[in-house]
Amino acid sequence: MIICTLSVFFPFFFFFLFAGSIRNGLRLHPDGEHLVYPMGNKVTIKNLKTGKQTFLAGHKNIVSALCVSPRGNFLASGQVTHHGFKAMVIIWDYEKREMKASYEMHKVRVEDVCFTRNEQYLISLGGMDDGGIVVWDVSNGTPLCGTMASKETSGNTLSIAAMNVCGTSFVTAGEGTFRVWLVDPKERKLEGIDVKIGKIRRDINCIAVDDKDKYIYCGTTSGDIVKARLNITDTNEKAPSSIVYPVMIGCYSKIPRAGAKNKTRVTGTVYAGGVKSLLFLQNEQMIVGAGDGTVELIEITKKNATSLKNGSIREKLLCQVLPCIVTHRTGYVCGTVTSMVSYKNDLILVGTAQCEIYEIQVSNFHTRLLVTCHTSPIYDLAFPRDRSEIFATTGKHDIRIWKLRTQKELLRITVPNFLCSGLCFDKNSATIISAWEDGVIRGFTLNGGNLAFAIDRAHTKSVSAITITNDDCNLISGGCDGQVRIWNAKFKTWKLLHVLKQHRGPITALRVSSNNENFISSSTDGTCIVWDARNFTRRFALQSNTMYMAACFVPDGVQVLTCGTDRKIAYWETLDGSLAREVEGSTIGTLNAIAVRHDGRYFLTGSDDCIVKLWEYRTAIVVGLGLAHAAPVSGCAFSPNGEFMITVSSDGAIMIWKQPSEMQTMEQMEQSHTMREHMSSKSLCCNSNSNSNSISNDTNVINV
């Protein structure tokens, strides 16, 4: 329930976050103008022309499966939940952008969802803890029938594909299982028929059915493609009157390139990492996406087993495992291919496990990176002191520099196998100073991303926080060993000046007051210490029954704001360390981040409940709620000019918020409270709209 006394504000810009690890998670609506994709526990609809986005909120956990109905009237999504609980499947009305129906009939995870051709039924597949298939009547909003997806002797079923002509049939495949299913609406039952594949044993990743429901193509973990004949004799809306057992025609690999050795060998080459995605094109051609990032335009020749005149007995018994795939064009993307959709006439969009989207032109296979984002939790972000047009974020392995207005990634600095926990800019915004998991403090030039300096063994454990004084004289670092260390930064000598050992837990935040007289360190040991920045002695400690996650000075330096696991925001006096005010910051989640605007009028908080709150500093009243995040908020910041707010979360999302144009006064809040008493208590759905521009491929990647 959204409290009516609070104004809900939406992202002004949204960094495209695509959950690339989900199989077939990137979908194109039949109108050709909207992309549909999962974003944490939300489903996002993006207009490709205007960049407008709509978020469909209803899931309580991460979305694991997504599909669009053939005519585009409905969307369906399934989620993951905790062990012992049922996972939810939601059917969305596309035009109204609202929930049409939902059901919880699968345990723990929904593996895949698929609409039949006539949009009458939705088929959902449970994960390894469930293993069942449920057929849901969309028009009546009731379950029709269900059964187990595979035999007890087979493995897990992983994917579903509907027929393109027959409205009551579909295909499932997975680990050692490959079945064609017939739905009998009158008898309310399912009949599964195994595809006869002889002695071949394959684990199937993906399924593609041709336009006439004559053949099925399956990509396997072995890197080859299985082709089977359906043999369906009746294709009306009723259940097929008769069916001959579907049978495998061949299991195909790639024909070796011309000039390769052993030309007489029958065996061909396979796709490294397995065939992860298949996409049909015209003229019996297909696009293949592989686990190693290979994308190829292929065609399967008419070659059959009779051509093996000189083959050995073993080769003939391998059920037509033949090199019959002819490759016409080849391209490469960064990461395992998980989704492919046709776009316009000569383009395809490719989604990868690295949460990136590429555009490939089929005629010449020219590849262009459209979208990139963090693939792991973001731990910190920072603006240069007097520049609002760029900012930096940190994550696992890398630091990324972004342009605020266009959301373009300008620079990526990579340090493999290590996590960057914090960063800051120097006074001239020429150097990015970063804290790393290996105990090293590294500085990089903003122009080019080259390594400017490195302080080895800066802490005995990981460096968890970093900051620099406003005059660039001293660099202050905090570690997981609980120590705060002061380094001489005036002449770039990086000499250790002082070691402060009064914390017993990891340092979570370091902040310097605007006048350079004090700095504060917060720790998970339940203490925040205000230090004298001139002689590096402790002035006083702020103690509370909490693990402090963040702290900051207000601009005039007279107070300190802290937050932590007790879900409270505390105002502390810097004169004597007394507690001036304490307010409830969240009802259910830990407060992870806090930031104050440059004029001190507002401050921002982010918490584990995925909610961003904008507070008025003087009254401690919430004047805005941000509900677009799908994961715990891990960091927040105001731009130096105060025009924008940026929040980051543990799913790798970056959101840029524009401050609400009208802030509610106390009188308005009271009026809204009076109005709320006369309103019905209906749950409100969070549908957020924002303008987003795709990130171009002009990123400069630096590996250290």
Side-chain angles (χ1 to χ4, degrees):
M1 175 73 68
I2 300 175
I3 302 175
C4 297
T5 57
L6 304 179
S7 61
V8 180
F9 61 103
F10 305 117
F12 184 68
F13 294 121
F14 173 71
F15 276 71
F16 193 111
L17 176 65
F18 163 58
S21 60
I22 297 176
R23 184 185 295 108
N24 295 323
L26 182 66
R27 302 279 187 165
L28 184 68
H29 193 268
D31 62 11
E33 296 181 358
H34 292 83
L35 277 181
V36 183
Y37 53 89
M39 186 200 74
N41 61 4
K42 295 178 175 62
V43 176
T44 305
I45 303 173
K46 178 181 178 179
N47 190 308
L48 292 171
K49 293 182 178 180
T50 65
K52 179 181 178 181
Q53 291 176 320
T54 302
F55 306 127
L56 305 179
H59 289 287
K60 299 178 181 179
N61 212 318
I62 296 174
V63 175
S64 59
L66 178 69
C67 72
V68 181
S69 63
R71 300 170 187 170
N73 295 322
F74 306 107
L75 309 178
S77 57
Q79 70 171 56
V80 179
T81 189
H82 304 286
H83 286 278
F85 294 89
K86 296 294 184 69
M88 179 183 292
V89 177
I90 298 179
I91 302 172
W92 307 91
D93 188 305
Y94 178 77
E95 291 297 329
K96 297 180 180 179
R97 304 292 201 268
E98 64 182 22
M99 187 187 302
K100 175 179 174 61
S102 66
Y103 60 92
E104 296 181 353
M105 303 183 70
H106 296 288
K107 297 178 182 178
V108 184
R109 178 185 177 91
V110 178
E111 193 69 42
D112 202 359
V113 288
C114 178
F115 284 96
T116 55
R117 183 193 65 82
N118 53 13
E119 297 186 347
Q120 185 176 356
Y121 305 114
L122 172 69
I123 301 103
S124 59
L125 173 66
M128 61 181 298
D129 297 285
D130 180 81
I133 293 177
V134 172
V135 179
W136 184 269
D137 193 321
V138 177
S139 58
N140 296 332
T142 57
L144 181 69
C145 53
T147 186
M148 296 302 294
S150 59
K151 298 179 179 179
E152 294 182 357
T153 56
S154 302
N156 301 318
T157 304
L158 302 177
S159 57
I160 310 173
M163 301 300 179
N164 295 311
V165 178
C166 181
T168 55
S169 182
F170 60 94
V171 184
T172 63
E175 299 172 351
T177 177
F178 187 13
R179 312 185 85 181
V180 176
W181 296 85
L182 308 175
V183 181
D184 190 342
K186 293 184 177 180
E187 298 294 331
R188 300 176 67 92
K189 67 178 183 179
L190 272 173
E191 181 183 358
I193 303 172
D194 289 312
V195 178
K196 294 184 177 181
I197 59 175
K199 295 183 179 181
I200 293 293
R201 292 294 179 268
R202 290 291 187 271
D203 291 343
I204 296 173
N205 291 322
C206 56
I207 311 170
V209 183
D210 70 352
D211 296 337
K212 298 180 181 179
D213 289 353
K214 187 176 182 181
Y215 298 108
I216 309 173
Y217 297 85
C218 301
T220 70
T221 57
S222 306
D224 45 24
I225 297 176
V226 172
K227 181 180 179 180
R229 183 185 294 112
L230 275 172
N231 295 324
I232 294 179
T233 58
D234 189 359
T235 58
N236 56 23
E237 298 299 328
K238 301 179 181 179
S241 56
S242 63
I243 184 168
V244 182
Y245 277 96
V247 62
M248 187 189 77
I249 297 175
C251 185
Y252 304 127
S253 59
K254 293 192 292 183
I255 298 175
R257 295 179 180 178
K261 296 181 180 180
N262 301 326
K263 296 181 180 179
T264 58
R265 290 182 59 185
V266 176
T267 56
T269 59
V270 296
Y271 291 96
V275 178
K276 298 293 186 179
S277 185
L278 291 173
L279 178 65
F280 267 112
L281 299 178
Q282 297 178 352
N283 302 324
E284 298 184 353
Q285 294 183 337
M286 285 190 298
I287 301 291
V288 176
D292 64 345
T294 301
V295 181
E296 289 189 344
L297 174 63
I298 69 162
E299 184 178 359
I300 297 179
T301 64
K302 304 298 182 181
K303 191 175 182 180
N304 53 44
T306 59
S307 62
L308 288 176
K309 295 181 180 180
N310 300 323
S312 64
I313 296 176
R314 179 177 180 275
E315 289 171 341
K316 292 180 180 180
L317 291 177
L318 283 178
C319 244
Q320 306 170 10
V321 181
L322 301 172
C324 294
I325 298 176
V326 178
T327 302
H328 296 295
R329 294 190 181 276
T330 303
Y332 298 94
V333 296
C334 181
T336 299
V337 177
T338 56
S339 308
M340 294 192 299
V341 293
S342 296
Y343 178 56
K344 296 182 178 179
N345 295 327
D346 192 41
L347 299 174
I348 60 171
L349 299 180
V350 179
T352 72
Q354 295 297 319
C355 301
E356 295 179 333
I357 297 179
Y358 294 82
E359 180 187 85
I360 298 180
Q361 191 169 354
V362 178
S363 58
N364 55 16
F365 254 58
H366 173 72
T367 303
R368 184 166 69 98
L369 177 63
L370 290 182
V371 172
T372 183
C373 62
H374 283 277
T375 59
S376 59
I378 301 175
Y379 298 99
D380 197 11
L381 75 155
F383 275 95
R385 296 183 188 176
D386 297 320
R387 298 178 61 183
S388 298
E389 67 273 13
I390 63 171
F391 65 96
T393 56
T394 67
K396 190 175 182 180
H397 309 307
D398 58 25
I399 299 172
R400 304 192 187 198
I401 310 298
W402 307 87
K403 191 170 183 180
L404 189 147
R405 290 284 183 178
T406 61
Q407 301 93 62
K408 290 183 179 180
E409 182 184 309
L410 303 177
L411 176 67
R412 187 187 306 178
I413 303 168
T414 303
V415 181
N417 303 321
F418 293 112
L419 181 149
C420 182
S421 56
L423 81 165
C424 63
F425 287 86
D426 64 359
K427 182 178 180 180
N428 299 322
S429 304
T431 306
I432 309 165
I433 304 171
S434 54
W436 292 85
E437 185 184 21
D438 58 349
V440 179
I441 298 173
R442 294 180 174 90
F444 302 95
T445 60
L446 184 58
N447 185 13
N450 299 315
L451 182 65
F453 68 89
I455 306 176
D456 295 325
R457 297 184 294 276
H459 285 263
T460 56
K461 295 182 179 180
S462 302
V463 186
S464 57
I466 196 82
T467 190
I468 192 169
T469 56
N470 298 316
D471 55 6
D472 277 3
C473 290
N474 296 310
L475 178 67
I476 306 172
S477 63
C480 289
D481 53 8
Q483 295 184 7
V484 177
R485 299 191 173 190
I486 316 298
W487 308 84
N488 186 357
K490 189 173 183 180
F491 302 106
K492 307 299 181 183
T493 57
W494 313 113
K495 179 181 178 181
L496 182 61
L497 300 178
H498 296 276
V499 179
L500 309 176
K501 301 181 179 180
Q502 299 195 24
H503 285 293
R504 296 182 179 180
I507 307 300
T508 55
L510 290 169
R511 295 292 185 269
V512 180
S513 62
S514 57
N515 56 10
N516 280 335
E517 293 182 357
N518 304 305
F519 71 90
I520 189 171
S521 59
S522 63
S523 174
T524 58
D525 63 359
T527 61
C528 267
I529 299 179
V530 178
W531 307 86
D532 191 316
R534 296 176 179 175
N535 52 24
F536 307 111
T537 58
R538 189 179 83 168
R539 294 190 57 195
F540 47 79
L542 314 176
Q543 296 185 356
S544 182
N545 187 23
T546 183
M547 296 172 64
Y548 286 108
M549 304 305 295
C552 64
F553 285 95
V554 297
D556 56 12
V558 298
Q559 284 187 334
V560 172
L561 300 181
T562 62
C563 63
T565 55
D566 64 350
R567 307 187 300 276
K568 294 180 180 179
I569 302 167
Y571 291 57
W572 305 86
E573 299 289 346
T574 55
L575 181 63
D576 55 2
S578 60
L579 180 63
R581 174 186 285 170
E582 194 172 55
V583 295
E584 191 78 22
S586 175
T587 57
I588 58 174
T590 297
L591 292 174
N592 300 318
I594 189 168
V596 183
R597 203 169 76 167
H598 67 94
D599 58 3
R601 186 178 176 186
Y602 301 104
F603 67 91
L604 197 66
T605 60
S607 57
D608 278 350
D609 58 8
C610 312
I611 297 177
V612 178
K613 292 184 179 180
L614 182 64
W615 303 73
E616 188 177 26
Y617 169 72
R618 184 180 59 84
T619 60
I621 293 176
V622 178
V623 294
L625 287 178
L627 305 175
H629 274 290
V633 180
S634 55
C636 61
F638 284 90
S639 61
N641 60 12
E643 186 178 355
F644 298 101
M645 301 168 286
I646 297 183
T647 57
V648 296
S649 57
S650 59
D651 60 353
I654 304 172
M655 293 195 182
I656 304 177
W657 311 79
K658 189 172 179 62
Q659 186 170 283
S661 57
E662 294 182 1
M663 295 297 182
Q664 289 183 318
T665 63
M666 180 64 73
E667 292 77 11
Q668 291 173 326
M669 300 284 280
E670 293 176 353
Q671 291 175 6
S672 298
H673 180 72
T674 304
M675 292 175 61
R676 185 182 56 161
E677 296 177 353
H678 301 285
M679 294 177 64
S680 60
S681 56
K682 294 182 179 179
S683 297
L684 302 180
C685 182
C686 172
N687 294 331
S688 304
N689 297 330
S690 64
N691 294 325
S692 174
N693 297 324
S694 297
I695 301 172
S696 66
N697 60 336
D698 55 356
T699 303
N700 185 14
V701 180
I702 304 295
N703 294 318
V704 178

